[in-house]
Amino acid sequence: ETGVTQTPRHLVMGMTNKKSLKCEQHLGHNAMYWYKQSAKKPLELMFVYSLEERVENNSVPSRFSPECPNSSHLFLHLHTLQPEDSALYLCASSQLGQGLDGYTFGSGTRLTVV
Amino acid sequence: QKEVEQDPGPLSVPEGAIVSLNCTYSNSAFQYFMWYRQYSRKGPELLMYTYSSGNKEDGRFTAQVDKSSKYISLFIRDSQPSDSATYLCAMSGYGNKLVFGAGTILRVKS
């Protein structure tokens, strides 16, 4: 496996369900991110983890709960979501402190809340 | 005012055309400028990046930054159907997180 891997690729869940999104990076990066992508809107940064510590939480509702057990893995736990939470959820990683190499994104999880 | 403005399109062009994609921004602290390409059902991938003002060329792609006008562009020469994708601009200040535009949908018709 190379790059950034996200699972599942697609997820349909009811508003009362609990599910988790998983992200794994194989690049040795020290920062990981969760983004939400909705149609015709800029990528919305949700959470940033640097060296396994959450360094940013952009006023995300508590029904989204991130977890970063180590520098290679990132989870997004979901519970009691709303239909407006339906979107593409992207995970990314980067190497902080070594110039600007950009972010490497996974292919995303397409979430539909019914 | 949004930090980064980008026309979502879609932009439709015939094969072989020169494509111009643009973003404007408001934060004068931005130093790093990037373009990402996102194919359908995929995540964005880094296409080009530049530091400060000037041009950068890579094959059929040219990135331009005009910091005095707070305006960046991506030109695609001899566009191909395989260039059909969403193009996102992104930028940041030194050591800061990236700020993305909304993305422009490009369709190149054969």
Side-chain angles (χ1 to χ4, degrees):
Chain A
E1 291 275 11
T2 59
V4 178
T5 304
Q6 287 187 247
T7 55
R9 291 297 307 274
H10 302 273
L11 179 61
V12 179
M13 59 186 288
M15 289 189 283
T16 58
N17 291 157
K18 290 184 181 181
K19 296 286 184 182
S20 296
L21 309 185
K22 179 183 175 182
C23 176
E24 184 174 2
Q25 60 100 356
H26 310 271
L27 301 166
H29 287 165
N30 58 14
M32 297 186 77
Y33 311 80
W34 279 117
Y35 279 89
K36 177 183 179 182
Q37 187 174 36
S38 304
K40 298 191 176 181
K41 286 186 176 181
L43 288 174
E44 297 176 48
L45 179 63
M46 300 176 72
F47 302 103
V48 180
Y49 276 82
S50 173
L51 298 172
E52 302 158 39
E53 284 191 33
R54 190 189 315 178
V55 297
E56 188 156 342
N57 174 349
N58 275 350
S59 303
V60 178
S62 59
R63 57 185 184 267
F64 295 92
S65 175
E67 179 190 1
C68 187
N70 55 59
S71 60
S72 299
H73 294 85
L74 187 64
F75 295 88
L76 188 61
H77 304 299
L78 316 170
H79 65 96
T80 59
L81 294 192
Q82 304 298 309
E84 60 264 30
D85 296 322
S86 299
L88 180 67
Y89 287 85
L90 290 163
C91 173
S93 69
S94 72
Q95 185 64 19
L96 298 177
Q98 293 189 4
L100 193 68
D101 296 324
Y103 296 2
T104 302
F105 285 88
S107 293
T109 295
R110 174 68 61 186
L111 174 66
T112 303
V113 181
V114 297
Chain B
Q1 183 186 12
K2 293 179 185 175
E3 265 194 304
V4 179
E5 298 271 7
Q6 183 177 12
D7 185 340
L11 176 63
S12 292
V13 301
E15 183 176 356
I18 296 175
V19 175
S20 172
L21 304 167
N22 312 292
C23 288
T24 58
Y25 63 95
S26 57
N27 189 342
S28 58
F30 287 150
Q31 297 284 340
Y32 299 93
F33 304 90
M34 300 179 167
W35 287 95
Y36 284 80
R37 178 176 61 196
Q38 185 175 18
Y39 290 116
S40 179
R41 291 183 288 277
K42 295 283 189 180
E45 57 176 336
L46 182 62
L47 189 61
M48 295 189 72
Y49 76 89
T50 54
Y51 171 70
S52 195
S53 287
N55 294 359
K56 184 172 183 179
E57 188 173 321
D58 184 2
R60 296 185 295 111
F61 298 87
T62 300
Q64 284 187 353
V65 175
D66 182 348
K67 290 188 68 180
S68 62
S69 302
K70 296 189 177 68
Y71 188 88
I72 70 170
S73 300
L74 178 70
F75 297 96
I76 307 175
R77 291 183 298 280
D78 187 26
S79 57
Q80 302 297 309
S82 58
D83 295 326
S84 297
T86 298
Y87 290 80
L88 302 100
C89 63
M91 49 200 78
S92 76
Y94 183 77
N96 294 333
K97 66 181 184 293
L98 285 179
V99 179
F100 286 85
T104 299
I105 298 171
L106 172 66
R107 296 175 183 153
V108 181
K109 299 179 180 179
S110 57

